[in-house]
Amino acid sequence: MKIKLLCFFVLLAIVHSANAQTLFTYGTHAVSKDEFLRAYNKNPDTAGNREEKLMQYFDLYVNFRLKLQAAYDEKADKDESIKMETENFKNQLTENFINKQADINHLMHEAFLRSQKDILVKQVFVKFSQGNDTETAYAEILNAYNDLKAGKNFEDISVQYSNDSAVRNVRGNIGYITVFTLPYSIENIIYNLEPGSSSTIYKSGSGYHIFKNAGERPALGRKKIEQLLFPTPPFYTNEQVKEVAHTADSVYNLLQTGTLFESLLPTYGYNYNEFPEANVMEIKVGDYSEDFEKEVFSLKIAGDISKPFKTGYGYNIVKLNENLPVSNDENDINLATWLQSQIQSDGRLDAMKSRLVENWLSVTGFKENAYNRADLWSYTDSAMENTSSLPVLYKGIKPETVLFQFTKKKYTVRDWIGYLGSTESSADAGEQHDYSKQMHDYIRIACNSYYKEHIEDFNPDAAEQLKEFSDANMIFYVMDKYVWSKATDDSAGLKKYYDGHKASYQWTKSVSALVVTAPDKATADLVSSRIKDDPSAWRFITGAYNKVYADSNRYEIDQLPVKQQVPLQKGFQTSPEINDAGDSYTFIYVMQAYPETAQKSFEEAKGAVINDYQQELEQGWITGLKKLYPVKIDEAVLKRCMSN
């Protein structure tokens, strides 16, 4: 048995040694074969001859480690701008990982399916009577539920049992709703009902409900509108209401005779704001009253203006700015962006995240210390009454007493009192002294913060991405210091480099050309025709059209931003062609042709000179780093990398 165990441990040591083979060292630092191969396999350019690609990458990787070590030796990781950028990236990364844990993809898919249809909803609603008498209210809703099970008419039952006049007056009719119209808990109930069926009893914060799916239709989508509102408050007399109606008709007549809708917004605009976009309202089904939505959704073409119509707020005139129809493509980027923004703002994602905290309590090493709760609550009362200083000691409780802790952080009585002080102003009066509940909440808030602060401890992928981002920032820091900014700012060095390498900066066959970009083909064709007729007026011509851009410059023939062949011919003009992104059209007009080679001036060659000078500086810097951190390569291990 002892021999077998000895053999096992020897074998284990051999395997560990093989996996930890040192590929190269630089100074006192070592890089293993596995570490290098992991980095190489992330490289997007690994296709083709493996040995050639790997050797090319090896040289780059050695230089990368030298630069990174230089950055650490200069304490670039302590630089405030790098720390801030890393922290911002960590916050974004953490949010993405937590969203994934909360299964945001499931919520997105669910919301997409629900966005495809609108549901007509009716309800029976028994609100809690004065004094929050839930027993009486529940008895009533139970009677309603039993009557519905017996087959009685839903609307009649709503009128009979609903004790809210607004619900009774509309016979329980809520109207059409769509995804995100109602709270998520209610939305779940309704979207899980078959057409014509009713729900079980649901308790909200204000009463008991029974919902009915009274019918479905394909979703109407959303509308972007602007609104003119002519209010008719409840205290207005009939005569005053007639005067408002007359004003609304007069304004509508002005619109019919050419007055711009936007010019009337400062006077009649609903919640008018001087910034145009702020006056645009996005309407979806269920957001507003049924009579208002009926008029809005009757507008079909952008620019259509409704006749004045009356709602509970007054007379309205609405202009349709944009239709936002429902997409049936789940991969539609615009729909996905909208769904995600709604999910993140309506509370359903937060609800999923709050459930995660219960799991995090175990993985974060949460431990609640032993203390007498009654004594802590007494200490807390005293501390909250005198916020200028904490009691020094009360029955073993003192400011430094640890109440609970996670693996790398402890929370004390002082922290607890600070938390209560920060939440007291927003707490409900009845909750301010419910310390047990507040401690429960505080622990979970602390756990949530701790998990986010230490995301790299719980998620290897997050740790790896954070390290890669930090390393990239560090490399940028030293490259900017020793190469990029140094080259750009060294005017004398650039000029000297140019003078020593003039032969490298020659014009080949080239043209001076006007490059014009337009948003669509019709505009591009029109501008192209006008420039062909009068090229000298290009600044005026292009400036007269919206989103048309033009620039004149000298280009070598193979650098022109068009795919068409361009001859060395003054006055030649290409046909407008669509760009690779498919969102604009480009054509060029040749203003002058240069068939012969010629020397580029320093200004003409400056961009290329900066690039070449940077490469020279970088090579010199790396040579110095190799002297500072001598590189030693294990050729045998490198050869084994080739065969892996």
Side-chain angles (χ1 to χ4, degrees), residues 231-259:
T232 55
F235 56 81
Y236 266 26
T237 64
N238 289 337
E239 287 302 315
Q240 287 175 310
V241 171
K242 287 180 181 178
E243 287 179 17
V244 173
H246 177 72
T247 301
D249 287 336
S250 299
V251 169
Y252 180 73
N253 290 333
L254 288 173
L255 291 168
Q256 296 304 296
T257 56
T259 299

Side-chain angles (χ1 to χ4, degrees), residues 3-74:
I3 293 173
K4 287 182 179 179
L5 284 173
L6 179 61
C7 290
F8 172 77
F9 285 119
V10 168
L11 180 61
L12 190 64
I14 292 171
V15 171
H16 177 75
S17 176
N19 288 335
Q21 296 174 74
T22 297
L23 175 60
F24 69 93
T25 60
Y26 54 105
T28 60
H29 310 281
V31 176
S32 71
K33 180 187 78 169
D34 287 351
E35 189 176 0
F36 167 68
L37 288 176
R38 276 197 303 272
Y40 172 74
N41 289 327
K42 289 182 180 179
N43 176 34
D45 186 21
T46 57
N49 186 293
R50 175 180 172 81
E51 187 170 338
E52 288 181 9
K53 294 287 186 181
L54 197 143
M55 285 306 301
Q56 291 170 5
Y57 185 77
F58 180 74
D59 291 337
L60 294 173
Y61 187 74
V62 169
N63 291 344
F64 164 77
R65 295 302 292 254
L66 293 171
K67 294 172 186 177
L68 186 60
Q69 191 57 49
Y72 274 109
D73 287 352
E74 293 199 15

